[in-house]
C-alpha cells in the first residue's frame, strides 16, 4: 500500500437544542425551563491521518465496528471517498448478529471527500451493544489508514472498535479485521437525548417569570414602565441595570461542510456561497453575503448588527424594508419585560433584553428587541395563548448566543411582518400563523443546530401551523430554513405555502421521523433558491418527506428559474 501526503479527514459533532413543553405555566421565580437536548455525534472529528488510497478492482464491503455509551438512534452514515473511486454505493447498519437494520443508497455524490446519506427512519440502538456501519463498493476503490485502531477511538458517547471488511459481490456483513488495524473511514451519525437546565435551581434564569425588585439595585436607577403596556408588565434589571445573560450549553463542533481535505493536508474553504446571476431580465441583488449593506431604516440609539444579506428578489417576497419597525415610529427604551395581564399591548418599545409573556391575548407591535445573550428574545409561556407579534424586529448581538428569536411554549401564536436575524434559531412553535416575515442570517455558536422556523411535533388536536408568504434564508450549512421534526410527536397539519426558501443543510425538513408517518403536511407554491448553496440546501432542497402520508401534498414548488423542485428533492 502506498501512503499519500497527510490528508485532513474532518468529521462533525453538532447539537440540536429544543425546549420541552410543560403542561402548566411555571410559577413566579420557578425553576428554569428544562430543555431537551438532542446531541448528534460522529466519530471522526478533525483528525489528520496518513491516508493510503487502494484500488483493488473487486467488490468490497467496508465498515466500522462501534458501540454507544447511551441509548439513542442512528440517523444516517458517511464514508470518505477517494478521487479515483467510481460507481454507486449502498450504506448499511448491522447488528452484532449480522442482522441488517437499515440501508440507504448514496446519491449526488461528490468526486471525493465525505459522502453522507440519511436513513429513511432513524434506527434505535441500545447502549453497550456492538453495531457495524458499512458501505459497498463494486469498483474497489477506498481510503485506508493503518494503525488508527491500535487503541479504540472515542468520540463523545461513541467508541469505534475496529475497521472491518468483506470481499463480496453485493452488500454483506463485514467481519474481517486487517492485522494492521486499518480504518476505512466509515462514519455513523448518532443522536441521543439529555435534559438540560439553563441555570442552577437557586439562581433564576432571566427568561423565567420574575417580579420587579422592591428597591433599586445598587448603582442603578429604578426601572420605569412604559404607559403603553399597562398593568401586568414588569421590567427585570440586574445589578448593573441590564438583563443578565442566561447560561446555555456549550458543546464542541467542527463542521466538515466548511472545510474539505486536500492532498497536501491543508484544508481549503468550500462552504462559501458563490453569487449567481439571476435568470430574470430584471436585475436584483443576490442573497450572498454583503458586509457593506446597511439597514434601510434609521438606526435608533441601540446598536444594531449589520444584516449580512441583501433583500430577496422582487415579486412580493418580504425583506428588511417591509418587515420590522416601520420607518418614523418613535421607540421608548425599556429593559426586559414580563407581561402578566391578559390583553396587554406593547407598542413602540426598544427592549434591551427579552419579553416574557405569561398572559393570554398579548400583542407586541412596532417594537425592537435587542435580545440579551441567553435563551430567547420573546417567549410565550406554557399555559398561555393568543400572542401576536407584528411589525417587530428581534436580533442578538452577534457575539454571544441568543438561542431563539421567538419561542412559543404555549398555544396559538401569530407572527406577521417580523424581522428576525443574528440568532441561532428564528422561531420555534408547534401551532399558529407565521406570515409576511423575514427570517434570516443565523449565527453559529458551538453546539448549535440552526433553524429559521422549527416545529418539533404536530400541533394539538384541532390546531394547525401555517407558514405563508415569508422570506426564510439560512446562510449556514445546517440545519434548515423550515424544519419539521418529530422530537416530541408525529408532525401533522402544517402548511408551508408561497415562501421564498434558501440555505441550510436541507432547506426543508418535511416531517418524517421515527414516531410515525406525518399527515396533512402541505408544501405548496414555494420558491427555492440556489443563491446560498448550489443544491438549495448544502445537501439538497428537502429531506425527511413522507410522500405517502395521508393528506401530504408537495405541489408547485419551483426553483427561481421556474424549474420544478421534485417531491422529496
Amino acid at each position: 500500500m502506498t501512503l499519500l501526503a497527510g490528508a485532513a479527514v474532518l468529521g462533525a459533532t453538532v447539537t440540536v437544542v429544543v425546549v420541552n413543553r410543560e403542561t402548566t405555566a411555571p410559577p413566579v421565580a420557578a425553576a428554569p425551563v428544562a430543555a431537551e437536548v438532542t446531541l448528534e455525534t460522529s466519530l471522526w472529528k478533525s483528525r489528520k491521518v496518513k491516508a493510503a488510497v487502494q484500488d483493488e478492482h473487486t467488490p468490497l464491503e467496508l465498515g466500522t465496528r462501534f458501540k454507544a455509551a447511551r441509548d439513542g438512534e442512528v440517523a444516517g452514515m458517511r464514508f470518505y471517498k477517494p478521487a479515483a473511486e467510481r460507481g454507486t454505493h449502498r450504506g448499511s447498519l448491522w447488528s452484532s448478529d449480522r442482522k441488517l437494520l437499515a440501508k440507504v443508497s448514496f446519491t449526488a455524490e461528490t468526486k471525493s471527500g465525505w459522502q453522507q446519506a440519511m436513513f429513511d427512519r432513524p434506527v434505535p440502538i441500545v447502549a453497550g451493544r456492538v453495531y457495524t456501519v458499512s458501505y459497498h463498493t463494486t469498483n474497489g476503490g477506498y481510503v485506508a489508514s493503518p494503525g488508527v485502531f491500535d487503541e479504540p477511538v472515542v468520540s463523545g458517547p461513541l467508541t469505534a472498535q475496529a475497521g472491518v471488511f468483506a470481499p463480496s459481490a453485493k452488500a454483506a456483513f463485514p467481519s474481517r479485521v486487517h492485522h494492521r488495524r486499518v480504518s476505512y473511514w466509515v462514519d455513523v451519525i448518532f443522536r441521543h437525548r439529555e435534559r438540560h437546565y439553563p441555570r442552577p435551581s437557586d439562581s433564576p434564569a432571566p427568561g423565567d417569570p420574575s417580579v420587579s425588585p422592591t428597591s433599586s439595585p445598587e448603582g442603578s436607577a429604578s426601572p420605569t414602565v412604559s404607559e403603553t403596556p399597562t398593568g401586568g408588565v414588569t421590567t427585570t434589571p440586574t445589578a448593573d441595570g441590564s438583563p443578565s445573560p442566561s447560561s446555555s450549553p456549550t458543546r464542541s463542533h467542527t463542521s466538515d461542510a466548511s472545510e474539505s481535505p486536500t492532498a497536501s493536508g491543508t484544508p481549503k474553504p468550500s462552504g462559501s456561497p458563490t453569487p449567481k446571476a439571476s435568470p430574470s431580465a430584471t436585475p436584483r441583488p443576490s442573497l450572498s453575503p454583503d458586509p457593506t449593506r446597511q439597514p434601510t431604516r434609521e438606526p435608533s440609539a441601540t446598536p444594531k448588527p449589520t444584516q449580512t444579506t441583501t433583500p430577496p428578489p422582487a415579486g412580493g417576497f418580504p425583506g428588511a424594508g417591509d418587515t420590522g419597525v416601520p420607518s418614523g415610529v418613535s421607540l421608548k427604551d425599556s429593559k426586559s419585560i414580563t407581561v402578566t395581564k391578559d390583553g396587554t399591548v406593547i407598542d413602540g418599545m426598544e427592549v434591551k433584553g427579552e419579553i416574557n409573556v405569561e398572559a393570554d391575548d398579548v400583542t407586541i407591535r412596532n417594537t425592537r428587541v435587542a435580545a440579551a445573550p441567553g435563551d430567547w428574545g420573546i417567549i410565550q409561556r406554557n399555559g398561555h395563548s393568543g400572542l401576536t407579534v407584528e411589525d417587530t424586529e428581534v436580533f442578538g448581538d452577534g457575539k454571544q448566543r441568543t438561542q431563539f428569536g421567538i419561542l412559543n411554549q404555549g398555544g396559538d401564536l401569530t407572527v406577521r411582518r417580523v424581522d428576525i436575524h443574528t440568532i441561532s434559531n428564528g422561531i420555534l412553535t408547534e401551532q399558529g400563523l407565521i406570515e409576511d416575515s423575514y427570517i434570516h442570517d443565523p449565527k453559529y455558536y458551538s453546539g448549535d443546530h440552526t433553524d429559521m422556523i422549527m416545529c418539533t411535533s404536530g400541533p394539538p388536536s384541532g390546531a394547525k401551523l401555517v407558514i405563508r408568504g415569508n422570506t426564510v434564508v439560512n446562510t449556514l450549512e445546517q440545519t434548515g430554513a423550515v424544519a419539521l421534526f418529530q422530537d416530541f410527536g408525529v408532525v401533522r397539519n402544517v402548511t408551508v405555502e408561497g415562501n421564498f426558501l434558501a440555505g441550510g443543510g436541507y432547506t426543508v425538513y418535511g416531517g418524517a421521523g421515527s414516531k410515525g408517518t406525518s399527515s396533512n403536511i402541505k408544501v405548496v407554491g414555494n420558491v427555492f433558491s440556489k443563491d446560498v448553496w448550489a443544491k438549495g440546501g448544502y445537501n439538497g432542497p428537502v429531506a425527511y418527506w413522507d410522500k405517502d402520508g395521508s393528506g401530504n401534498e408537495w405541489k408547485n414548488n419551483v426553483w427561481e428559474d421556474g424549474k420544478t423542485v421534485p417531491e422529496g428533492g
Side-chain angles (χ1 to χ4, degrees):
M1 108 179 12
T2 302
L3 293 180
L4 300 182
V9 180
L10 303 173
T13 298
V14 291
T15 304
V16 185
V17 180
V18 292
V19 177
N20 193 17
R21 278 107 186 103
E22 307 291 344
T23 57
T24 59
V28 171
V33 177
E36 186 82 8
V37 183
T38 301
L39 306 182
E40 183 179 284
T41 307
S42 294
L43 286 165
W44 312 117
K45 299 185 300 182
S46 302
R47 187 181 179 94
K48 292 185 178 182
V49 301
K50 293 288 186 178
V53 175
Q54 299 292 298
D55 193 359
E56 298 191 8
H57 302 291
T58 186
L60 294 169
E61 189 82 13
L62 303 162
T64 301
R65 185 182 296 158
F66 72 96
K67 64 181 179 180
R70 295 175 177 268
D71 291 348
E73 59 185 25
V74 174
M77 62 168 294
R78 309 185 308 152
F79 76 94
Y80 195 81
K81 175 182 176 180
E85 170 64 356
R86 298 290 184 269
T88 58
H89 302 91
R90 197 193 90 168
S92 301
L93 178 67
W94 310 85
S95 66
S96 58
D97 59 0
R98 300 173 177 253
K99 180 180 178 181
L100 179 63
L101 301 178
K103 62 182 180 180
V104 64
S105 295
F106 286 84
T107 59
E109 293 185 21
T110 58
K111 291 183 178 179
S112 64
W114 284 108
Q115 314 299 314
Q116 178 171 304
M118 307 300 285
F119 296 124
D120 287 341
R121 298 186 186 280
V123 181
I125 65 172
V126 178
R129 294 185 183 175
V130 175
Y131 298 86
T132 297
V133 62
S134 66
Y135 76 98
H136 189 263
T137 166
T138 56
N139 186 56
Y142 61 93
V143 174
S145 300
V148 172
F149 287 109
D150 286 344
E151 299 289 341
V153 176
V154 178
S155 175
L158 294 174
T159 298
Q161 299 177 329
V164 290
F165 70 97
S168 177
K170 59 182 181 180
F173 180 77
S175 59
R176 298 173 62 178
V177 177
H178 196 279
H179 70 279
R180 297 186 66 186
R181 298 181 179 89
V182 169
S183 172
Y184 302 106
W185 302 107
V186 185
D187 207 349
V188 62
I189 300 171
F190 173 70
R191 296 173 181 167
H192 72 280
R193 300 281 182 86
E194 290 182 0
R195 294 285 287 178
H196 162 66
Y197 291 85
R199 299 171 66 93
S201 59
D202 60 350
S203 177
D208 285 338
S210 56
V211 179
S212 295
T214 56
S215 61
S216 300
E218 183 178 353
S220 64
S222 299
T224 59
V225 179
S226 166
E227 295 178 359
T228 304
T230 57
V233 180
T234 63
T235 57
T236 55
T238 61
D240 64 356
S242 61
S244 62
S246 146
S247 64
S248 50
T250 301
R251 305 188 187 277
S252 62
H253 169 86
T254 306
S255 174
D256 62 312
S258 62
E259 295 179 340
S260 60
T262 65
S264 65
T266 303
K268 64 179 182 179
S270 62
S272 299
T274 301
K276 297 174 67 66
S278 169
S280 169
T282 304
R284 65 168 180 83
S286 167
L287 280 173
S288 52
D290 178 6
T292 64
R293 179 180 178 274
Q294 298 297 320
T296 58
R297 294 182 294 278
E298 289 296 321
S300 67
T302 301
K304 176 179 176 180
T306 301
Q307 298 182 22
T308 56
T309 61
T310 52
F317 293 109
D322 47 14
T323 59
V325 181
S327 178
V329 173
S330 296
L331 303 179
K332 186 173 183 178
D333 286 347
S334 174
K335 296 181 174 65
S336 292
I337 295 174
T338 296
V339 182
T340 57
K341 182 179 179 180
D342 293 351
T344 295
V345 175
I346 296 175
D347 194 345
M349 302 294 286
E350 183 91 38
V351 179
K352 300 171 185 176
E354 52 199 27
I355 302 177
N356 294 277
V357 177
E358 303 172 42
D360 294 334
D361 303 320
V362 172
T363 298
I364 302 169
R365 67 165 69 105
N366 301 326
T367 290
R368 294 181 68 232
V369 181
D375 291 324
W376 46 71
I378 298 173
I379 181 173
Q380 177 171 249
R381 294 283 187 171
N382 296 310
H384 298 288
S385 186
L387 173 63
T388 296
V389 184
E390 58 188 14
D391 300 307
T392 287
E393 182 179 9
V394 184
F395 57 93
D397 65 8
K399 298 177 181 179
Q400 299 182 73
R401 175 201 282 129
T402 297
Q403 194 160 355
F404 298 97
I406 300 175
L407 171 59
N408 180 25
Q409 295 179 320
D412 202 43
L413 169 72
T414 299
V415 176
R416 185 179 292 120
R417 298 183 301 279
V418 171
D419 184 354
I420 300 176
H421 60 92
T422 323
I423 36 69
S424 294
N425 297 277
I427 301 173
L428 171 58
T429 185
E430 314 304 333
Q431 60 182 294
L433 170 65
I434 304 169
E435 67 176 358
D436 301 332
S437 293
Y438 185 30
I439 308 168
H440 59 108
D441 291 297
K443 292 289 291 184
Y444 175 77
Y445 300 92
S446 179
D448 280 349
H449 264 200
T450 54
D451 298 285
M452 298 297 86
I453 300 176
M454 177 166 54
C455 168
T456 56
S457 67
S461 179
K464 61 183 179 180
L465 173 60
V466 177
I467 302 166
R468 180 174 63 206
N470 304 282
T471 297
V472 189
V473 181
N474 185 342
T475 47
L476 303 178
E477 74 275 9
Q478 52 83 24
T479 308
V482 174
L484 310 179
F485 295 136
Q486 288 196 13
D487 292 287
F488 302 108
V490 178
V491 181
R492 61 177 69 86
N493 302 332
V494 179
T495 297
V496 181
E497 180 179 12
N499 302 280
F500 182 89
L501 306 173
Y506 288 95
T507 305
V508 171
Y509 281 76
S514 61
K515 291 181 169 59
T517 303
S518 65
S519 62
N520 200 30
I521 309 296
K522 301 185 185 301
V523 183
V524 178
N526 299 283
V527 175
F528 286 71
S529 172
K530 298 181 180 180
D531 281 338
V532 177
W533 304 114
K535 299 178 184 178
Y538 184 83
N539 298 301
V542 61
Y544 288 88
W545 172 252
D546 280 329
K547 65 178 181 179
D548 298 322
S550 175
N552 288 356
E553 184 177 5
W554 182 281
K555 185 173 68 175
N556 298 335
N557 297 299
V558 299
W559 298 106
E560 287 183 272
D561 61 5
K563 294 181 180 179
T564 298
V565 179
E567 183 176 18

